[in-house]
Amino acid sequence: MSSGKLWELREEVLSCNLCPRLRAYSSWVAKEGKRFKEEYWGKPVPGFGDAEAKLAIVGLAPAAHGGNRTGRPFTGDETGRWVIGGLYQLGLSNLKEGKFRGDGLALRGVFLTNTVLCAPPQNRVRREEVANCSRYLRETLRSLPKLRVVLTLGSVAFNAVAEVLGIDSKFAHGTLIHAGELILMSSYHPSPLNTRTGRLSWNQWIEILRHAWKLASGGYED
Ligand code: SF4
């Protein structure tokens, strides 16, 4: 992130303790629950990407051994391979996969973040935790001056972004809603639960990303 506003937000996020359950779990995983030898991040995981982004992608939360380990969203886990790999296929990422902070990953026109910025147990978040973290979601979207499309992954992210944008709608895969100058899109979350079961195929995922980027970059509009 390069803009001052995003940097300030990052600093604020890093010292956040609003959700004791999530802070305790993220820290515990980083100390006692490790699956990898390397040092874990174990703190809130701020968004990452292009400060001039036209497309924001919002997931659920950092994975305990993914973002919570590496300190960057969609980095070091299977979901991240779909997200970064898909962006790479569209020419929006310089790497096929994000492996660790400092790997040189650079996104073009895209910003990545999560609804909740601390890893939750069993990937399940509570309503009050989403509400707590919505302040950062709102500020992140506000801090991207060129933003045109927000692609949400899964129903929790969709509902959280819809609330931030003042939209009253229910999640469905492929939804596209205009909200003033922004467009809200939704997809099934490319988590192993959906990708390994065939609920979301690679081709479907690429089409969603391609559509979102075309809308964001002014290619065409449905
Ligand atoms: S989930 Fe968000 S609001 Fe809750 S402690 Fe982490 S950064 Fe703070």
Side-chain angles (χ1 to χ4, degrees):
M1 292 189 284
S2 61
S3 92
K5 221 169 163 193
L6 282 169
W7 187 259
E8 277 172 32
L9 188 59
R10 176 185 169 86
E11 293 302 301
E12 203 180 320
V13 163
L14 288 178
S15 59
C16 183
N17 281 303
L18 284 170
C19 308
R21 184 183 81 108
L22 300 187
R23 292 301 322 118
Y25 179 71
S26 309
S27 302
W28 176 82
V29 170
K31 287 176 190 144
E32 294 160 58
K34 287 166 62 165
R35 279 191 204 151
F36 294 77
K37 280 185 186 166
E38 69 199 59
E39 192 174 334
Y40 274 44
W41 177 257
K43 292 178 280 195
V45 181
F48 168 83
D50 188 348
E52 303 288 300
K54 295 174 181 172
L55 170 64
I57 300 178
V58 182
L60 172 62
H65 304 280
N68 187 54
R69 170 171 61 92
T70 61
R72 199 172 63 190
F74 302 108
T75 297
D77 60 25
E78 204 171 319
T79 299
R81 282 194 281 280
W82 276 60
V83 173
I84 306 293
L87 294 175
Y88 177 82
Q89 189 162 322
L90 298 184
L92 303 174
S93 167
N94 65 334
L95 298 179
K96 267 187 189 169
E97 182 182 353
K99 292 188 176 172
F100 54 91
R101 282 189 341 281
D103 58 5
L105 176 68
L107 305 180
R108 179 172 67 85
V110 181
F111 195 87
L112 307 176
T113 192
N114 280 301
T115 308
V116 162
L117 298 175
C118 296
Q122 280 97 44
N123 283 325
R124 296 213 176 116
V125 295
R126 293 180 178 165
R127 191 173 298 204
E128 64 270 22
E129 293 160 348
V130 172
N132 285 344
C133 220
S134 68
R135 71 197 64 205
Y136 302 125
L137 182 57
R138 182 177 291 106
E139 284 311 308
T140 298
L141 301 182
R142 279 186 185 155
S143 301
L144 298 169
K146 299 199 173 165
L147 187 64
R148 297 188 65 182
V149 175
V150 184
L151 174 61
T152 57
L153 310 180
S155 60
V156 175
F158 176 82
N159 291 339
V161 174
E163 187 161 340
V164 162
L165 298 181
I167 295 168
D168 184 15
S169 182
K170 283 194 177 152
F171 169 81
H173 176 71
T175 295
L176 190 156
I177 302 167
H178 290 259
E181 294 187 347
L182 285 181
I183 296 171
L184 170 60
M185 288 182 68
S186 61
S187 167
Y188 292 133
H189 199 294
S191 61
L193 193 65
N194 289 327
T195 57
R196 287 186 195 166
T197 55
R199 190 176 208 196
L200 183 66
S201 71
W202 179 257
N203 287 344
Q204 286 172 318
W205 171 238
I206 291 298
E207 277 319 301
I208 286 270
L209 281 181
R210 196 190 304 280
H211 191 183
W213 178 248
K214 280 191 175 170
L215 290 173
S217 59
Y220 67 83
E221 205 159 313
D222 279 353

